Amino acid sequence: MSVTETPSHRIAHLYGDHHGWLQSWFHRRLGNAADAADLAHDVFVRLLTAPRQFENAPQARGYLRTVANGVCVDFWRRRSLEQAWLEALAQQPEPTAPSAEQHAAALEALHEIDAMLRSLPPKAASAFVMAVACDMTDQEVAEALGVSSRMVRKYVAQAMLCCMRLEARHAGAAP
């Protein structure tokens, strides 16, 4: 690559040199050619939004593999959430099943909550889930996490603040 080469030209070269390999890498892990093509595309879109320069092909491939691992983890996490949602829906009697719009909104909310929980320190996320979803007392959560009850309250407050920010963002986006 020349010194004056633009970022878009570098991405085009990377794409030409590595897209086939990356798509095959995803296909081996996912067992689905369509998902593999989508995820390989996502990796290169990420490079467009945050361009990088590489000294050589092995360095580029190593970086692409690292990004691809993260993309796979996100994909599996999203699929797992969606599968859990579908299983919960299957348990619902037909008249109470949500509309397609409600279904899409619920999945989007689940993804946002999952992202919010992953943005928290692990103990804060665990404390919040145990206290809110599992209806455990502060003392029970404290014993499970090996922290004080006061720390549990701080963790839950931290998570609640994130929830309120999510809610405020949606309230601001509502028509």
Side-chain angles (χ1 to χ4, degrees):
M1 288 186 228
S2 71
V3 175
T4 60
E5 194 173 54
T6 65
S8 60
H9 283 101
R10 283 194 298 269
I11 299 293
H13 285 296
L14 278 170
Y15 188 89
D17 293 345
H18 301 285
H19 180 264
W21 163 81
L22 188 60
Q23 189 167 340
S24 295
W25 187 91
F26 277 121
H27 189 253
R28 284 191 307 276
R29 276 151 188 77
L30 304 174
N32 181 305
D35 289 336
D38 287 345
L39 295 184
H41 175 77
D42 288 351
V43 169
F44 286 99
V45 168
R46 287 183 186 200
L47 273 176
L48 283 171
T49 59
R52 294 185 53 105
Q53 196 164 349
F54 305 102
E55 298 292 322
N56 52 44
Q59 185 186 34
R61 191 165 280 197
Y63 177 80
L64 292 171
R65 187 178 305 117
T66 298
V67 173
N69 277 326
V71 167
C72 264
V73 168
D74 290 345
F75 175 81
W76 287 322
R77 180 179 288 118
R78 196 169 41 254
R79 279 282 163 94
S80 177
L81 275 171
E82 290 170 3
Q83 186 60 39
W85 171 248
L86 291 173
E87 289 171 7
L89 280 181
Q91 301 299 319
Q92 296 290 319
E94 194 61 36
T96 62
S99 68
E101 293 83 17
Q102 291 169 324
H103 178 79
L107 278 178
E108 182 180 337
L110 285 171
H111 292 302
E112 287 179 349
I113 292 166
D114 178 56
M116 182 271 300
L117 288 172
R118 284 185 287 114
S119 74
L120 292 170
K123 284 190 177 183
S126 295
F128 178 73
V129 170
M130 286 187 246
V132 175
C134 300
D135 203 27
M136 293 171 67
T137 66
D138 287 352
Q139 188 58 42
E140 291 169 331
V141 174
E143 289 171 12
L145 295 178
V147 298
S148 68
S149 293
R150 183 178 174 161
M151 200 67 215
V152 169
R153 286 190 293 280
K154 285 183 180 183
Y155 286 149
V156 172
Q158 182 181 9
M160 290 299 291
L161 179 61
C162 289
C163 288
M164 289 171 32
R165 287 181 181 145
L166 263 179
E167 186 175 28
R169 188 173 30 186
H170 282 281

